[in-house]
Amino acid sequence: MAQPTYDFNPVSHITIETIGPPGQRTFFLQASQGLMVLTMIIEKEQAAALAHAIDQLLDQVGQEETEEDDWIDLTLHEPVEPEFRVGQMGLGYEERQGRVVVIVQELLTDEEAEVREPMIARFWMNKAQARALSRHAAEVVAAGRPTCPLCGNPIDPGGHFCPPSNGHHRLRDIQ
């Protein structure tokens, strides 16, 4: 098993943010500890899944609402230079320290996997940071293109092809 390449315990900053217009956005997970910043590319679905998983975890372990949540920096820091694309993500909780940990593993091509181990990063945060990250990630995901209630595919400004409608409904008919 590969040893972690990055271990930010604790993070001083963590966020999920995008660059680009809806339909062409690139999602980034970015964390820092002091002056060290790590930026990774993630998928929209990974951002949504992480937000949901953090909410479930915090509901299980309990978290008091604090004003501290409002003061957490969730901006994407420049320069945005991704180190790798995330393939797998994990989530845990360390009860003794009261910290949530997000673990990410680099996505490798088959050829890359033959010659090296994937990079791994762990990001430890307090519960207020985790809740703020979850809320922000959910907002970022929701800020994209609307989805079709029939097929679940994104709707572009000019409409979209919707197989379930079988040509019988126009987009305005199903909204």
Side-chain angles (χ1 to χ4, degrees):
M1 181 169 190
Q3 295 298 317
T5 304
Y6 301 96
D7 195 8
F8 291 11
N9 189 4
V11 298
S12 51
H13 167 263
I14 189 163
T15 192
I16 290 177
E17 196 51 79
T18 63
I19 295 177
Q24 300 173 354
R25 298 186 300 170
T26 301
F27 282 74
F28 297 96
L29 170 62
Q30 185 181 72
S32 62
Q33 184 180 41
L35 297 176
M36 186 168 188
V37 178
L38 179 63
T39 305
M40 296 138 293
I41 297 172
I42 63 172
E43 296 296 324
K44 178 180 181 177
E45 293 78 13
Q46 289 174 313
L50 181 60
H52 182 70
I54 288 172
D55 285 345
Q56 287 183 324
L57 176 71
L58 292 177
D59 288 347
Q60 287 176 358
V61 301
Q63 184 217 2
E64 312 79 35
E65 296 292 325
T66 66
E67 290 182 24
E68 182 180 340
D69 295 14
D70 298 334
W71 298 100
I72 296 174
D73 177 17
L74 294 164
T75 59
L76 194 60
H77 295 180
E78 297 287 337
V80 178
E81 298 173 359
E83 185 71 25
F84 59 86
R85 180 176 293 274
V86 173
Q88 295 182 24
M89 300 174 72
L91 182 67
Y93 181 71
E94 206 292 312
E95 191 171 349
R96 191 171 45 92
Q97 295 179 354
R99 290 200 179 131
V100 174
V101 60
V102 174
I103 305 165
V104 298
Q105 180 176 314
E106 177 185 20
L107 177 65
L108 297 178
T109 64
D110 291 339
E111 295 79 27
E112 290 172 327
E114 291 178 14
V115 295
R116 69 179 179 90
E117 295 289 319
M119 287 192 266
I120 297 173
R122 294 187 292 192
F123 307 111
W124 301 81
M125 65 200 87
N126 63 41
K127 291 189 258 184
Q129 286 173 306
R131 182 69 76 189
L133 176 64
S134 171
R135 288 178 179 157
H136 183 70
E139 289 171 6
V140 169
V141 168
R145 297 175 291 173
T147 56
C148 174
L150 294 178
C151 69
N153 290 328
I155 301 171
D156 291 318
H160 78 292
F161 173 73
C162 181
S165 73
N166 200 22
H168 296 291
H169 297 284
R170 293 211 165 113
L171 181 58
R172 67 177 179 268
D173 298 334
I174 58 175
Q175 286 182 333

